[in-house]
Amino acid sequence: MTLEKLYRYLNWRMDPREEKARERFNGMEEFFESLDWLPSNGRVLDLCAGTGIAGVALAKATGAKLLTVLDARRDDLGLAKKWLETAGISPELRTVQGDAREVANLVEEHDVALLWGYTMPHFDPFDAVRLFANVALVLSEDGVFMIEDMDRVYWILYRIGYKRFLIEGRREKYTIASMHEGYNFERGTFRRGYYILPGLKKISDVEVHYWDIATQLAIGSIFFREYGLIRRDEHNNPKVGDVLYFKKPRKELGLETLR
């Protein structure tokens, strides 16, 4: 079972043909426009991009000349061109099917990299180190890496509490639920099984790591000279979560880590 199959059932509001996805796009564009330190007329790299919704929003906000969208799922990448048409912009578009943990081997140098849409749980701590090292290598000297996320240790494990059974979403004809099916002590990941109700038909197994913000900032501080956090209650944009940012990559540490 793959994430691609699971995402056919879960709607992440990233299809340009859907009104709510377009509203989300407009919110992201507005947020990116508020950041006066983002490189303009540069090269944007959207990691785990899905349909490229975030990368196109950033490309429009900054007047990017190149947009590269990378995802392991081929089907979603096909909608990136439609997002460009919807946004009314025409940077050079490159689509790459591949693993974000190997991005330095897949694309050339870029000025801004994004990991948007609360994707970090798919990376365990070892994956995260490899991800940051790869991104540091692929960015220009003054490059920027941004991650949209939330503090799951606080909001999920503390405020809500870990749920062995959880309703993940409801659609017109079915409900998606997940169940706890194990924990990997060496990787720090919870295994969740995803099922369709009624009928309890299994869709996929997913390994997730519940990240806190501080640990991500700490890892990023190794591979970047500057780092920071823009809290959701600071930017007050309902379409965007907490945003971690990292500037000026330490390429030498990226190389050393990946040797």
Side-chain angles (χ1 to χ4, degrees), residues 94-196:
R94 299 176 185 173
T95 59
V96 180
Q97 183 183 15
D99 188 336
R101 296 168 299 182
E102 305 295 335
V103 65
N105 297 320
L106 300 173
V107 305
E108 299 175 352
E109 185 177 82
H110 287 69
D111 302 300
V112 188
L114 285 177
L115 186 71
W116 216 254
Y118 304 97
T119 308
M120 276 300 291
H122 293 309
F123 299 93
D124 68 34
F126 296 93
D127 291 332
V129 170
R130 191 167 189 85
L131 172 70
F132 273 90
N134 267 270
V135 173
L137 285 175
V138 84
L139 285 177
S140 55
E141 183 177 350
D142 293 320
V144 177
F145 181 30
M146 290 190 292
I147 299 174
E148 181 192 31
D149 208 359
M150 62 183 290
D151 195 312
R152 289 170 177 81
V153 170
Y154 179 73
W155 288 108
I156 296 178
L157 300 183
Y158 172 66
R159 288 291 298 270
I160 299 174
Y162 183 74
K163 305 296 184 183
R164 298 187 66 87
F165 178 87
L166 182 66
I167 299 297
E168 299 280 357
R170 290 185 171 89
R171 302 293 177 264
E172 183 178 347
K173 297 182 179 180
Y174 61 86
T175 296
I176 300 294
S178 70
M179 290 188 281
H180 175 79
E181 296 186 349
Y183 181 79
N184 187 324
F185 284 90
E186 293 183 349
R187 307 293 296 195
T189 55
F190 292 83
R191 185 170 70 252
R192 305 285 299 188
Y194 282 77
Y195 297 83
I196 294 178

Side-chain angles (χ1 to χ4, degrees), residues 5-12 168-169 171 174 176 194:
K5 184 173 183 179
L6 174 61
Y7 286 178
R8 292 193 189 110
Y9 291 93
L10 293 173
N11 187 347
W12 293 110
E168 299 280 357
R171 302 293 177 264
Y174 61 86
I176 300 294
Y194 282 77

